[in-house]
Amino acid sequence: MGRLVEYILLLLSVVLVVSTLTGSTNNYYNGPTKVTDCSVTKKFAEFTNASLTPNPMTRGKAYYVKGTFHIKKTIQWGILHIKLTYNFKKYTNITFVNEKFNLCDYLDDLLNILCPVPPGIYHFNYSNIVPKLFWPGRYYGKATAYNEEGEEMMCQMTEVTIN
């Protein structure tokens, strides 16, 4: 898997986690990551029972994402718009990623299923290494998926700290 795909999967893994995050097992030190569902509708898909650990993440070390993806309508094709920004010294935002990707490629990597993806409940368990490319600090991420007709299928926003 190429480095770009690894960075994309890291970003998506961070962004595509719902507000039911559990944080790490060391909860007296690590609070849950805040994730906001910014979807205009829930008629296409939802994420549930998701967790992202550890919190905060550490460059060069593993992170783990698991959860349930409930697809309500067949996904024939889609675009995933990813945006990841870094707040530099509380002065300005630096955008690390602002790209559009093939949603079916991502679902193939995450769920090992090719489009069209039929309605159903899909469990995922993913881990990878946090790239050292990312600067230590607070990141703001947003992922929005659109179907072939341009309708928003889902949207998630989050903040994550990387040490």
Side-chain angles (χ1 to χ4, degrees):
M1 186 180 319
R3 297 296 289 169
L4 178 59
V5 173
E6 289 177 12
Y7 296 139
I8 293 167
L9 287 174
L10 166 68
L11 173 63
L12 293 175
S13 297
V14 170
V15 174
L16 297 178
V17 178
V18 296
S19 60
T20 57
L21 292 172
T22 62
S24 78
T25 57
N26 188 3
N27 284 327
Y28 68 90
Y29 178 74
N30 301 324
T33 301
K34 294 179 183 178
V35 177
T36 304
D37 183 356
C38 51
S39 300
V40 295
T41 182
K42 294 192 184 337
K43 69 181 182 178
F44 292 100
E46 288 184 80
F47 285 96
T48 58
N49 302 320
S51 65
L52 170 64
T53 55
N55 178 26
M57 291 191 234
T58 302
R59 297 178 311 142
K61 295 197 176 181
Y63 68 94
Y64 306 90
V65 181
K66 63 181 177 177
T68 303
F69 188 42
H70 183 194
I71 298 174
K72 299 178 179 180
K73 293 186 177 185
T74 300
I75 298 174
Q76 300 287 342
W77 180 88
I79 291 290
L80 189 59
H81 183 203
I82 304 295
K83 188 169 186 178
L84 180 68
T85 59
Y86 173 83
N87 189 265
F88 183 69
K89 298 189 178 191
K90 299 182 181 180
Y91 178 72
T92 188
N93 287 330
I94 298 172
T95 300
F96 271 68
V97 178
N98 187 9
E99 297 291 334
K100 294 180 180 175
F101 302 99
N102 184 318
L103 177 63
C104 291
D105 289 343
Y106 175 71
L107 293 175
D108 181 27
D109 287 337
L110 185 65
L111 303 174
N112 296 318
I113 190 167
L114 299 173
C115 284
V117 179
I121 297 174
Y122 301 90
H123 301 280
F124 64 93
N125 190 355
Y126 178 78
S127 68
N128 206 337
I129 304 296
V130 178
K132 291 185 179 182
L133 169 76
F134 294 126
W135 299 339
R138 195 97 176 133
Y139 288 81
Y140 304 91
K142 181 177 180 181
T144 309
Y146 301 93
N147 66 12
E148 61 273 6
E149 295 159 7
E151 295 176 288
E152 181 183 294
M153 293 190 287
M154 71 111 228
C155 176
Q156 297 288 310
M157 296 184 335
T158 191
E159 297 178 21
V160 65
T161 299
I162 298 177
N163 291 332

